[in-house]
Amino acid sequence: MVYMDNFEETLANGSEEELQELKSWLFQENIRLATAAKELEQRQEQFDRERIQFQDEMKLLNHKISNERQRLKEDNQFFDKKMEILKSGFQQLDLDRRRLDKEWVKLAAEKELMSERSYDKGLEVSAFFRGVKNPLALKKRYKDLIKIFHPDNLAGDKDMIQRINREYEELKGEYEGYRQA
């Protein structure tokens, strides 16, 4: 059936049967075109819905991205603040460490000064045993110092005990030598 090629000829010279066939074909073609137009319209509506949905999703995603960027910016600012606090804390710790080192040096110098010996009535007397004038006072001071500086005590110091013992033995020997002379 080639109606389109000789459509005008069939209309002008066609038999009743050919015209009826042409009419039927035009009707079917009209229905096919109407169906295609309806399908096209439905697809257009579906496309419009999908486009609107896509735009809504894009707006939502853009909003989320914007929020995440803002949160990230705030997190970076917070991190920078924490880093500055840490840096200043480390600087303060370094200053405190230096101050404590100076104090330790000062205390060590004072401790060394305390352990230096001075002279009293011709006998060499340490800072621990200053003011001791006889063997009995020496022994009593020694016992008191041992009680104070024993390593098991809170203020105990092994080096201090060794220094006290050494000085006690020297002074004890000096008092015995002084007595014999």
Side-chain angles (χ1 to χ4, degrees):
M1 284 194 203
V2 183
Y3 296 110
M4 292 307 276
D5 293 339
N6 38 357
F7 176 74
E8 289 182 17
E9 185 181 320
T10 306
L11 270 178
N13 300 328
S15 67
E16 188 68 31
E17 193 177 302
E18 286 178 340
L19 285 175
Q20 196 61 18
E21 220 176 283
L22 182 61
K23 188 177 178 184
S24 174
W25 178 81
L26 284 172
F27 180 74
Q28 289 174 354
E29 194 62 23
N30 193 20
I31 290 175
R32 186 187 67 77
L33 288 175
T35 305
K38 193 170 191 176
E39 186 179 317
L40 182 62
E41 186 180 312
Q42 288 174 348
R43 285 187 180 180
Q44 181 65 38
E45 288 174 3
Q46 182 180 359
F47 174 76
D48 288 343
R49 283 192 306 269
E50 288 175 356
R51 183 175 46 86
I52 291 170
Q53 182 181 0
F54 176 74
Q55 287 173 343
D56 290 345
E57 288 175 2
M58 286 302 295
K59 285 178 186 176
L60 182 64
L61 288 174
N62 284 335
H63 183 69
K64 283 182 179 180
I65 288 172
S66 175
N67 285 344
E68 284 300 312
R69 283 184 179 156
Q70 181 65 29
R71 187 189 62 78
L72 184 61
K73 182 180 175 183
E74 291 170 359
D75 285 352
N76 284 340
Q77 290 172 346
F78 183 66
F79 176 77
D80 290 343
K81 287 178 184 177
K82 286 172 87 176
M83 187 57 81
E84 284 186 34
I85 290 170
L86 285 173
K87 284 180 182 178
S88 67
F90 280 121
Q91 289 172 349
Q92 186 62 42
L93 283 173
D94 188 48
L95 290 174
D96 289 347
R97 182 189 54 79
R98 289 180 185 177
R99 183 180 50 82
L100 285 174
D101 287 346
K102 287 179 183 178
E103 287 182 25
W104 276 109
V105 168
K106 186 178 175 183
L107 284 173
E110 288 176 6
K111 192 175 181 181
E112 190 64 34
L113 268 175
M114 285 179 55
S115 68
E116 288 180 0
R117 299 181 183 268
S118 63
Y119 292 95
D120 187 15
K121 292 187 181 179
L123 294 176
E124 191 176 311
V125 179
S126 76
F128 293 119
F129 297 101
R130 189 170 290 146
V132 174
K133 303 199 188 296
N134 60 47
L136 289 175
L138 178 68
K139 191 172 186 176
K140 176 156 179 25
R141 176 74 57 86
Y142 173 73
K143 286 182 179 181
D144 290 341
L145 288 171
I146 292 298
K147 287 178 187 176
I148 294 170
F149 291 105
H150 192 276
D152 291 343
N153 290 341
L154 186 61
D157 185 1
K158 183 179 176 184
D159 293 335
M160 192 69 73
I161 286 293
Q162 290 174 349
R163 192 175 293 150
I164 291 170
N165 284 335
R166 223 178 9 257
E167 290 179 15
Y168 173 72
E169 291 300 321
E170 288 175 12
L171 288 173
K172 189 168 96 172
E174 287 179 15
Y175 273 118
E176 287 176 8
Y178 186 67
R179 274 184 167 178
Q180 291 174 0

